[in-house]
Amino acid sequence: MLLPQVLAIGTVVLRWSRDEPVVASFLSILLFVALNRVFTVQYFVWFLSLAPAVATRIDLKLHHAVFLALFWFCSLGAWLHAAFRLEFLGESVHGSIGLASIALLVSFFAIAAAVSRACHVHRAKKLA
């Protein structure tokens, strides 16, 4: 997973670090967590702490933000539920945890894409 992390974070840093360092930090951490081999819930503090600052620098419609938040919370809940069943109950839920992992990864990428697009829109409005 190292190469995807390097490519994703490198692209974000090259694109956003000069104009929007807060957005670059948020997206870099978000993608690092999404593509990391080890996945723990405490990593969310890293990027969620930047979310209020990012919210002031993007132009994202409320209904789109709510959809992304619900998608992320639901996929995270499915992943945590499957992980709990696997780790603590010893149940064979490899299919469930695999599907939940894919949904969670897609939700991370959807958030990253939406923030990136919304930052473009916000910058264009600011320049106009």
Side-chain angles (χ1 to χ4, degrees):
M1 258 312 184
L2 181 61
L3 185 59
Q5 279 180 320
V6 170
L7 292 174
I9 294 169
T11 301
V12 165
V13 167
L14 289 173
R15 173 62 192 99
W16 293 111
S17 63
R18 183 178 308 165
D19 299 328
E20 291 289 346
V22 173
V23 173
S25 297
F26 175 82
L27 290 173
S28 296
I29 295 168
L30 180 83
L31 292 171
F32 172 80
V33 170
L35 296 170
N36 199 11
R37 288 182 185 194
V38 178
F39 188 74
T40 61
V41 176
Q42 58 262 37
Y43 288 158
F44 301 150
V45 173
W46 294 357
F47 65 85
L48 288 177
S49 63
L50 293 171
V54 169
T56 65
R57 290 169 168 79
I58 62 174
D59 188 26
L60 189 63
K61 303 278 187 226
L62 180 62
H63 69 278
H64 196 190
V66 168
F67 171 78
L68 289 170
L70 286 174
F71 181 32
W72 183 71
F73 282 125
C74 289
S75 60
L76 177 61
W79 185 87
L80 288 170
H81 178 70
F84 173 81
R85 289 176 52 208
L86 178 68
E87 291 292 324
F88 293 103
L89 302 179
E91 297 177 10
S92 179
V93 292
H94 299 291
S96 297
I97 204 163
L99 291 174
S101 296
I102 291 168
L104 189 56
L105 184 63
V106 169
S107 74
F108 276 121
F109 288 157
I111 292 168
V115 167
S116 183
R117 272 193 310 273
C119 193
H120 276 295
V121 170
H122 180 72
R123 286 186 63 230
K125 284 183 178 178
K126 206 164 62 171
L127 294 174

